Amino acid sequence: EVPWARRNSIKYHDEAVKKGVKLVHCCGYDSLPFDMAVYMLHKHAQKTGRHLDKVYTLTGDSRGSVSGGTVASGFAIAAMPKEDRKHLSDPYAYVANVSTWRGEDKDDSWWWGYNPMAKKHTYPFIMAVCNTRVVRRSNAILGEAYGSNFKYQEESAAPNFPVAVLASTMVAFLKILMAISFIQPLLKKILPKSGEGPSRKIMMNGYWSATAYGKFEGTEEFAVAEVGGKHDPGYYDTSRMLLEAALAMSLQEDDIKAEGLPAGGVLTPATAVGMVGVERLRKAGFTFAVKSE
């Protein structure tokens, strides 16, 4: 999705700014919760006149179903021209034409690791390649409000080291398989097809969570943002996030403007609806909370 969103930014952002039109990509499970978690930490830091130095987000337990559309997107990315694929390895690709800002982040980790803030072993989160770019675009659109040296990383939490190693190996293996052209036909027979999704029972019994650890500039202190939902993330809760964001822009634009957010452009969830969107999501039953650590 990142190369496509990047092309749209280059093509439409300036015109959308002039006309006061909001075009918002990645406004479902990818990447609204992750983008909003960082934005909440930023607002928390603002209250005490501080900036964020770095944020690590770890996905937690979840239950849902793989989307056939997501699988199709994976195959489409594997078939992209080299010119487009190179943007996937550029952590600042989606900053595109809105800013010249480039921080210190490197490409996403595709191996196991250990998060010292959470004190947990980690493995790659497959959608980090999208979410991390969206978070960095938010910082760029907001004039580097998170900090000019702001850094962001996103992974999944593992219960122990062996699980982290096993999960990392499986993710890497799947990534390689999807890139091999003669294996793709077999995978397409096994994996969900575009348009296929979970049953209502699976959607209603799903859940998801993620925790963002935000370290402040010039100190070892950090705060924690928790986000989560009580249904399948990829379908049921994605549709509810889209709905609440759309209603916020339709019904509460004055409140959004009062928050100092842009009136138009190719925006991110955080820069499109901000804390107005967060409050709507809370009232809809989602978890969006910040606590000091």
Side-chain angles (χ1 to χ4, degrees):
E1 289 92 345
V2 173
W4 176 65
R6 184 180 185 275
R7 287 197 300 271
N8 286 343
S9 173
I10 293 170
K11 188 173 182 179
Y12 298 116
H13 178 74
D14 292 342
E15 185 179 358
V17 169
K18 290 177 184 177
K19 294 183 177 180
V21 174
K22 293 186 177 184
L23 304 176
V24 189
H25 291 289
C26 307
C27 206
Y29 178 63
D30 301 308
S31 306
L32 184 148
F34 308 93
D35 196 29
M36 291 298 203
V38 178
Y39 185 74
M40 289 192 301
L41 288 170
H42 158 64
K43 299 298 285 187
H44 178 78
Q46 257 190 339
K47 292 176 182 177
T48 53
R50 296 185 288 185
H51 287 110
L52 293 170
D53 175 38
K54 62 180 71 173
V55 176
Y56 291 106
T57 299
L58 298 181
T59 62
D61 292 338
S62 66
R63 178 193 293 168
S65 176
V66 177
S67 161
T70 298
V71 172
S73 294
F75 286 124
I77 288 170
M80 276 181 178
K82 186 177 180 181
E83 181 66 22
D84 282 340
R85 283 204 312 274
K86 74 177 184 180
H87 296 308
L88 293 173
S89 60
D90 178 3
Y92 297 91
Y94 196 27
V95 170
N97 59 323
V98 299
S99 172
T100 58
W101 171 65
R102 291 187 73 89
E104 300 175 8
D105 280 327
K106 308 300 181 185
D107 195 13
D108 304 290
S109 169
W110 287 101
W111 217 233
W112 61 81
Y114 182 79
N115 186 291
M117 290 191 200
K119 296 180 175 59
K120 291 182 179 180
H121 294 281
T122 63
Y123 62 93
F125 178 43
I126 196 72
M127 290 311 299
V129 69
C130 178
N131 299 335
T132 54
R133 275 66 173 169
V134 171
V135 168
R136 294 181 193 118
R137 182 177 179 86
S138 291
N139 188 40
I141 289 173
L142 294 172
E144 301 168 34
Y146 298 169
S148 57
N149 294 317
F150 170 74
K151 297 169 280 294
Y152 182 66
Q153 187 176 343
E154 193 173 290
E155 295 171 304
S156 292
N160 52 54
F161 178 67
V163 171
V165 173
L166 178 61
S168 298
T169 304
M170 290 175 64
V171 170
F173 186 60
L174 179 60
K175 186 181 177 185
I176 292 169
L177 285 179
M178 291 189 74
I180 300 174
S181 58
F182 66 86
I183 294 180
Q184 289 180 7
L186 175 62
L187 291 177
K188 288 178 181 179
K189 290 181 180 179
I190 299 171
L191 297 172
K193 296 176 176 56
S194 185
E196 292 182 351
S199 66
R200 181 170 179 80
K201 181 179 179 180
I202 291 174
M203 288 193 291
M204 299 308 293
N205 290 318
Y207 56 84
W208 58 273
S209 66
T211 306
Y213 301 83
K215 179 183 171 296
F216 301 118
E217 226 173 37
T219 177
E220 291 305 310
E221 295 179 0
F222 64 94
V224 177
E226 296 178 341
V227 295
K230 300 174 182 177
H231 304 93
D232 170 78
Y235 278 85
Y236 196 88
D237 273 358
T238 281
S239 64
R240 296 171 71 225
M241 291 180 220
L242 289 167
L243 174 63
E244 294 300 338
L247 288 173
M249 288 185 282
S250 299
L251 304 176
Q252 296 177 265
E253 189 59 24
D254 289 343
D255 296 330
I256 294 171
K257 288 180 180 177
E259 197 173 320
L261 295 174
V266 177
L267 304 179
T268 61
T271 58
V273 296
M275 293 304 294
V276 173
V278 168
E279 290 300 328
R280 292 194 68 94
L281 290 162
R282 287 170 176 164
K283 291 177 181 177
F286 289 94
T287 296
F288 280 84
V290 175
K291 62 180 182 180
S292 295
E293 189 71 15

